[in-house]
Amino acid sequence: MDDRGISRRALGALAAGGAASLGLSGCDRVGSTEATVKSRQFPDDFVWGVATAAFQTEGSPEADGRGPSIWDTFEKQPGRIKDGSNADVATDSYRRYAEDVDLIAGAGLKAFRFSIAWSRVLPTGEGTVNPAGLDHYDRLVDACLAKGVTPYATLFHWDLPQALQDKGGWSARDTAKSFADYAAAVVGRLGDRLKHVITLNEPAVHTVFGHVLGEHAPGLKDIALLGPTTHHMNLGQGLAIQALRAAHDDLRIGTTLALQPCRVAGGPLAFWNRPAASGLDALWNRAWLDPLLKGAYPVLMADFLKGHLRDGDLKTIHQPIDFLGVNYYAPAYVNLDLGSASHIAPGAPPRGAELDAFGRQIDPSGLVEVLTRIRRDYGNPPVLITENGCSDPFGNGPAVLDDGFRSQYLRRHLEAVKSAMESGSRIGGYFTWTLIDNWEWDIGYTSKFGLVAMDRTTGVRRPKASYGWFKQVAETGTLPTA
Ligand code: IFM
């Protein structure tokens, strides 16, 4: 660490730790992770939905003039994807979207969060719009509306057009402007029916895993990219919100952040870990929340951002939003490591912690912590839980159809949501991740997060027990006790 916050070398050590470094701890023991609720009844207008993403589900990479994205490039590079798979078919949802919408409506869900593939709309990311690519989303939006399902479209869920990456991707300032143009093209065609738009999905994950750790596309490992990538995604979001509102004044616009409490790892010298935890919190949570909701970057980001901020940028980024999307899976724990050059090191989960298939701690209290912070420190904006869910045990085996563990995971996190609501948080909905077992980025098909299993040979979908469980919750608005 240096006196201006996390140093470039400091983040380099996180890179060395890999993915696990961002979510694990060395806490001594686990405290209670449960949230308590006064009532198990959600409001009538609470939105129940599922979330998906284009690259993880659509397949049909060459259909109707789609251009390649950075994930098409990345998945073909040897050794990048754990099981050597690609997303050429995924859940085949480009062709089977109507079946997906039927499954959503069949579960009594009233909302579908999907993402739009930028390179279907603009094959090179900019320039001439490809109407055939937009036709797909036109059909999808209409299919949702016909079934009483409200579409929520995410504009960027990590699949940047490769042609833009060739010009520097998000580390280039021009990409922010291209993103706003793309946003305008989407609502220019769909905005008469698509009223809920989410600008970015988990930009911290895309920045850190894609540009610093090299584990996601575009596969870069360069700490110098952290500042420009963060800033240009924030700037692009601000410009996109302006463009969206200029096109249609009745849109409900939000963004989706992967928020994690950055807890100080335990042990006898726990207090030493505080600066490291603050550093991670700055680049993972506050680098996105603060400029959007407060109009300023955290001081700890100053070193990274040097030379990239221009006059007026923060004003552009500080746009009013209609909701903040929160994706929550687990807390992070951080160690200070005097033995490493950076002084920052990953911990391990607390002893005795309950872990999901990712090795992430199952801790609903972390969601309460995140929601409490948004309420107390950020003016209590309206919130949607835009992702939460868990995977079957990893591997290539069949999906677990009798997935009581998933219903329990959802129930416990919904208790956290309800508990925060009872404390005053303005939470309007909950989207579980995800509908159908899909392609999980660098680990391919080895994880299964769906309420529905899919036979990858035939494409046939088969609801799991959790599908029926979630249906009952959505239809009654009542959370069972078990
Ligand atoms: O599959 C991902 C999704 O794309 C973004 N949020 C986390 C999910 C599960 O890891």
Side-chain angles (χ1 to χ4, degrees):
M1 304 286 288
D2 64 24
D3 59 2
R4 308 184 57 193
I6 212 172
S7 69
R8 296 191 165 186
R9 278 164 69 208
L11 198 67
L14 277 179
S21 68
L22 292 167
L24 307 177
S25 101
C27 246
D28 272 342
R29 56 190 181 79
V30 201
S32 170
T33 57
E34 303 309 299
T36 51
V37 293
K38 295 191 186 106
S39 154
R40 309 191 76 80
Q41 186 64 39
F42 281 81
D44 288 345
D45 60 355
F46 193 80
V47 176
W48 299 96
V50 282
T52 67
F55 199 81
Q56 293 177 272
T57 58
E58 286 181 351
S60 303
E62 283 167 12
D64 301 325
R66 177 185 179 277
S69 78
I70 55 174
W71 275 95
D72 295 272
T73 307
F74 187 78
E75 67 178 9
K76 292 179 182 63
Q77 294 168 354
R80 292 295 202 181
I81 310 300
K82 186 175 171 184
D83 60 359
S85 66
N86 61 51
D88 282 359
V89 177
T91 60
D92 201 13
S93 291
Y94 190 78
R95 299 186 313 143
R96 291 174 177 258
Y97 69 90
E99 282 177 57
D100 296 356
V101 174
D102 282 348
L103 281 165
I104 293 165
L109 303 174
K110 295 284 184 279
F112 181 23
R113 173 180 173 237
F114 56 87
S115 79
I116 293 180
W118 187 340
S119 67
R120 289 198 191 277
V121 178
L122 291 151
T124 60
E126 56 193 350
T128 309
V129 170
N130 171 34
L134 273 169
D135 286 349
H136 169 70
Y137 300 106
D138 202 300
R139 290 189 291 267
L140 176 57
V141 165
D142 283 348
C144 287
L145 295 175
K147 296 281 177 180
V149 172
T150 303
Y152 286 67
T154 304
L155 296 176
F156 180 71
H157 197 125
W158 307 349
D159 46 355
L160 190 77
Q162 180 60 46
L164 289 183
Q165 188 61 44
D166 295 341
K167 296 180 175 180
W170 283 111
S171 69
R173 191 176 170 95
D174 286 350
T175 300
K177 166 77 170 59
S178 302
F179 182 60
D181 293 345
Y182 154 59
V186 169
V187 294
R189 172 77 178 272
L190 306 177
D192 56 334
R193 290 151 292 143
L194 173 69
K195 297 299 180 189
H196 295 81
V197 180
I198 294 171
T199 50
L200 305 175
N201 177 76
E202 299 181 351
V205 177
H206 184 62
T207 300
V208 173
F209 283 81
H211 299 77
V212 179
L213 301 179
E215 295 179 4
H216 281 190
L220 303 172
K221 271 189 174 179
D222 184 355
I223 186 62
L225 297 176
L226 181 83
T229 304
T230 299
H231 183 57
H232 297 147
M233 292 187 82
N234 277 324
L235 184 64
Q237 171 168 274
L239 292 169
I241 294 173
Q242 290 176 334
L244 292 165
R245 295 214 192 277
H248 283 272
D249 61 9
D250 62 347
L251 299 179
R252 311 291 298 164
I253 303 171
T255 191
T256 282
L257 302 178
L259 297 179
Q260 287 187 289
C262 293
R263 297 177 180 165
V264 177
L269 298 177
F271 65 95
W272 282 108
N273 298 329
R274 282 179 195 282
S278 301
L280 185 60
D281 183 44
L283 67 91
W284 192 261
N285 298 314
R286 295 186 55 207
W288 312 96
L289 287 167
D290 287 21
L292 176 65
L293 299 172
K294 296 182 173 175
Y297 276 107
V299 175
L300 294 178
M301 285 295 289
D303 186 30
F304 293 118
L305 293 167
K306 212 170 174 181
H308 301 294
L309 253 75
R310 295 193 190 160
D311 284 352
D313 282 2
L314 283 167
K315 197 166 170 232
T316 303
I317 294 169
H318 187 32
Q319 294 295 316
I321 52 168
D322 299 298
F323 60 88
L324 177 69
V326 172
N327 291 2
Y328 175 80
Y329 291 88
Y333 294 78
V334 188
N335 277 323
L336 181 73
D337 179 4
L338 292 177
S340 81
S342 68
H343 297 178
I344 291 183
R351 269 198 307 246
E354 188 184 356
L355 305 181
D356 69 7
F358 265 75
R360 298 189 283 209
Q361 185 187 3
I362 299 178
D363 185 354
S365 76
L367 179 53
V368 177
E369 196 174 326
V370 162
L371 295 169
T372 303
R373 181 189 209 183
I374 291 167
R375 186 173 74 243
R376 290 197 185 144
D377 298 352
Y378 293 95
N380 202 11
V383 164
L384 291 175
I385 308 302
T386 37
E387 280 184 35
N388 175 239
C390 65
S391 174
D392 288 9
F394 286 160
N396 295 320
V400 180
L401 295 175
D402 190 10
D403 59 341
F405 66 90
R406 178 167 290 106
S407 309
Q408 293 308 310
Y409 180 99
L410 301 183
R411 175 184 61 75
R412 292 163 65 188
H413 287 81
L414 279 163
E415 284 168 352
V417 172
K418 188 63 172 32
S419 161
M421 291 168 76
E422 290 173 357
S423 299
S425 292
R426 300 163 66 201
I427 305 164
Y430 175 95
F431 295 68
T432 190
W433 184 270
T434 185
L435 180 64
I436 301 170
D437 294 338
N438 63 33
W439 193 78
E440 177 67 20
W441 308 111
D442 56 314
I443 61 168
Y445 294 105
T446 62
S447 81
K448 296 181 179 67
F449 275 86
L451 300 176
V452 176
M454 191 189 92
D455 181 321
R456 287 189 38 229
T457 312
T458 62
V460 169
R461 281 95 161 106
R462 189 157 169 212
K464 306 178 188 177
S466 59
Y467 175 90
W469 182 90
F470 197 49
K471 173 181 161 83
Q472 195 196 342
V473 174
E475 286 179 345
T476 61
T478 311
L479 200 52
T481 48

